[in-house]
Amino acid sequence: MPSNIPFYSLLLVVLLATLALFVSPTHLTPQQEQEHQNQKQKNSGFRVKLKQVDSGKNLTQFERIQDGIKRGQHRLQKITNRSSYHDLRAISSPVSPRDVSIFSIEFSIGTPRKTQSVLLDTGSDLLWIQCEPCINCYKQNNPIFYPNQSLSFINLSSSSELCKALPELVPTDEGCEYYYKYLKGSYTSGIMARENFTFGDVIVPNIGFGCGVDNEGRGFSPGSGIVGLGRGLLSLVSQLKETKFAYCLPSFDDPNNSGTLWIGSLERILIGELKTTPLIGNWFEPSHYYISLRGISIGGTKINIEKSIALKDDGTGGIFIDSGTPVTHLEENAYGLVRDEFIKKFKLSEDKSGLYVFDLCFNFPNEGLVKVEVPELIFHFHGADLYLPTKNYMIEDKKNRVMCLGIFPSKDLSMFGALQQQNVLVIHDLKEETLSFLPTECDQL
């Protein structure tokens, strides 16, 4: 076993072997694996509701975003640190979720069906939930899944395609055991299996997932696990062989606002003219959805930041879209130009109290933000200009009469975050390798 697996790994191996034997005495052979792939519904399109993780908490919008940013700064730091290395095995591991994942979805699993709520992550691939019998499970809202109580649970073999796609495989003769590490001590470990999943009223059979009996990570709770929507073979989108998926993140004004995730057919939701930009591949970070940002306009002044934001040949730099990061982060040189332009355009005094996690804040007059002339912000992606409403980049603290810019600097890597995506339908077309935007009232779809 790899040396970085927790010290009680021997107990884990024994438990996993027992679980594999008790739950399913047979495994899928490579031929059966292919048959199950062929059984997948070609038009298994479905939609599910996106809920804000902080829904139900008594926090203001400013407080919720500020708390999310504190978690998100850890996420960015981890990604940036990882992208500076050239150990491709290390790079293939995902980032830490919820350091941050701020949205969750609900589905049912097994026969009979058991409801689970998992965190959404477009920056990693593996779909996993906690399973009994646990040796190390955190507290979750739903009852933990018992595979021995499901008639449709089947272990994957170590020769299966999904098992071979794991970034770190636990050597064993007992099926496919995995150790999937995030960063800073977070991980999930267990057995890979197939199960029937139900999304809304759509049943999707034989989805490969991790049945985790040893799970450690402060950001996982209260969800049952993670659903990865990245570009790798393990992700839900790749397994369904769907060429399109989309999400619409709700307004952060109310934590009870909900959005929607679609996988598959999108014809019913396409209203209006799409803004489309190409997706860019990064071999060093294969799970992420990179795009090309050519410039940013602030109050009518266009800033050319393409050189600073460009994806480099060694896999560093670039910008990718991420539903789990609360706000956009820009490479520090590009951010500096944006920051300076906002200071020039605003007719307000800069808040230098240092009381806020935000990098740039302004004090506003007694009339409030409504009476303040806020400079317009446009992101110029390759072939797509995205005009953002004020609430998608300026965050108001009414109590302290301060408003802050919802964009942060980063050392190298840039991410287009969730605040900037609120009330924007984001469509991933994996066949055409494009990403499209459509401003929409997400909670009304």
Side-chain angles (χ1 to χ4, degrees):
M1 277 192 169
S3 60
N4 57 353
I5 295 180
F7 70 91
Y8 41 82
S9 56
L10 181 59
L11 175 61
L12 174 62
V13 169
V14 174
L15 180 59
L16 289 173
T18 304
L19 174 64
L21 205 61
F22 178 65
V23 171
S24 180
T26 60
H27 309 294
L28 288 178
T29 66
Q31 182 178 356
Q32 290 173 324
E33 173 81 9
Q34 186 60 49
E35 290 174 356
H36 277 287
Q37 288 289 346
N38 294 337
Q39 289 175 13
K40 289 276 175 68
Q41 300 175 20
K42 294 297 182 182
N43 297 308
S44 55
F46 60 83
R47 60 182 288 168
V48 290
K49 183 181 292 187
L50 283 175
K51 295 182 179 179
Q52 298 185 56
V53 172
D54 288 330
S55 63
K57 295 183 179 179
N58 187 24
L59 299 172
T60 66
Q61 179 193 21
F62 191 90
E63 290 170 336
R64 285 185 288 111
I65 294 176
Q66 187 164 243
D67 287 349
I69 288 168
K70 291 176 182 178
R71 297 190 299 261
Q73 285 175 331
H74 294 295
R75 177 186 180 96
L76 181 75
Q77 180 183 7
K78 294 168 189 178
I79 300 173
T80 303
N81 290 343
R82 191 184 74 216
S83 65
S84 65
Y85 295 110
H86 294 275
D87 181 347
L88 299 186
R89 187 174 182 82
I91 288 174
S92 67
S93 298
V95 301
S96 177
R98 222 179 148 241
D99 277 341
V100 84
S101 183
I102 56 179
F103 295 97
S104 66
I105 68 168
E106 193 172 273
F107 58 74
S108 296
I109 180 173
T111 308
R113 302 176 191 176
K114 301 295 181 181
T115 300
Q116 302 292 324
S117 178
V118 297
L119 302 178
L120 180 74
D121 190 7
T122 57
S124 66
D125 295 327
L126 183 65
L127 164 59
W128 65 271
I129 62 171
Q130 296 198 113
C131 290
E132 293 284 10
C134 283
I135 72 167
N136 179 36
C137 286
Y138 58 85
K139 185 178 180 180
Q140 64 177 58
N141 287 341
N142 299 105
I144 296 177
F145 180 63
Y146 279 80
N148 64 324
Q149 295 178 359
S150 174
L151 299 176
S152 48
F153 183 92
I154 304 175
N155 289 331
L156 279 178
S157 71
S158 58
S159 60
S160 66
E161 180 184 13
L162 290 181
C163 194
K164 292 177 180 178
L166 288 164
E168 191 161 339
L169 183 63
V170 179
T172 178
D173 294 328
E174 297 293 337
C176 177
E177 298 178 14
Y178 74 91
Y179 177 73
Y180 199 75
K181 62 181 178 182
Y182 299 86
L183 298 183
K184 244 189 176 158
S186 297
Y187 63 87
T188 175
S189 182
I191 61 173
M192 291 294 293
R194 285 201 181 278
E195 255 294 8
N196 295 338
F197 282 68
T198 303
F199 300 93
D201 57 357
V202 177
I203 300 175
V204 185
N206 308 315
I207 295 293
F209 76 107
C211 199
V213 298
D214 180 10
N215 313 295
E216 183 68 45
R218 68 188 181 101
F220 296 150
S221 182
S224 306
I226 302 288
V227 56
L229 294 179
R231 307 185 78 176
L233 290 175
L234 293 167
S235 81
L236 179 62
V237 176
S238 297
Q239 289 193 60
L240 293 176
K241 301 189 182 303
E242 294 286 358
T243 59
K244 289 184 179 180
F245 78 94
Y247 57 77
C248 202
L249 306 184
S251 170
F252 290 7
D253 294 343
D254 185 344
N256 295 314
N257 286 343
S258 61
T260 307
L261 167 70
W262 295 264
I263 295 183
S265 179
L266 307 177
E267 284 78 5
R268 298 179 184 176
I269 61 171
L270 299 187
I271 303 172
E273 183 179 353
L274 297 176
K275 303 287 186 179
T276 301
T277 187
L279 286 171
I280 301 171
N282 182 357
W283 195 77
F284 292 91
E285 293 282 354
S287 292
H288 295 142
Y289 296 96
Y290 281 84
I291 47 183
S292 175
L293 181 60
R294 300 296 178 85
I296 293 177
S297 288
I298 301 165
T301 301
K302 186 173 182 179
I303 303 171
N304 185 0
I305 60 172
E306 183 175 7
K307 186 175 181 180
S308 299
I309 298 293
L311 180 63
K312 300 177 181 62
D313 291 339
D314 63 358
T316 59
I319 181 170
F320 63 87
I321 189 167
D322 186 6
S323 63
T325 298
V327 300
T328 291
H329 288 69
L330 296 175
E331 184 274 337
E332 56 190 357
N333 293 320
Y335 172 80
L337 296 174
V338 169
R339 187 185 194 279
D340 291 346
E341 195 60 35
F342 266 105
I343 293 175
K344 287 180 186 178
K345 289 292 194 301
F346 259 114
K347 307 271 194 261
L348 299 173
S349 63
E350 183 180 348
D351 182 272
K352 298 183 179 181
S353 66
L355 297 175
Y356 308 100
V357 69
F358 301 94
D359 181 71
L360 179 61
C361 294
F362 298 93
N363 297 302
F364 61 82
N366 292 334
E367 292 81 1
L369 183 59
V370 176
K371 301 295 182 181
V372 174
E373 188 177 339
V374 178
E376 183 182 55
L377 180 62
I378 308 170
F379 277 75
H380 301 284
F381 297 105
H382 181 195
D385 293 338
L386 184 60
Y387 294 73
L388 296 181
T390 301
K391 70 177 184 178
N392 282 34
Y393 58 96
M394 297 304 302
I395 308 158
E396 181 183 6
D397 181 1
K398 295 179 180 179
K399 180 180 179 181
N400 296 304
R401 313 205 67 75
V402 168
M403 60 180 172
C404 301
L405 177 65
I407 300 176
F408 271 72
S410 71
K411 184 177 181 181
D412 177 68
L413 188 63
S414 300
M415 295 184 289
F416 191 66
L419 179 69
Q420 284 66 44
Q421 297 176 59
Q422 62 177 329
N423 281 332
V424 176
L425 177 63
V426 181
I427 302 173
H428 299 66
D429 190 327
L430 307 182
K431 181 179 180 181
E432 298 298 329
E433 289 288 315
T434 61
L435 188 80
S436 298
F437 304 100
L438 180 65
T440 308
E441 291 296 325
C442 294
D443 60 346
Q444 297 180 14
L445 291 175

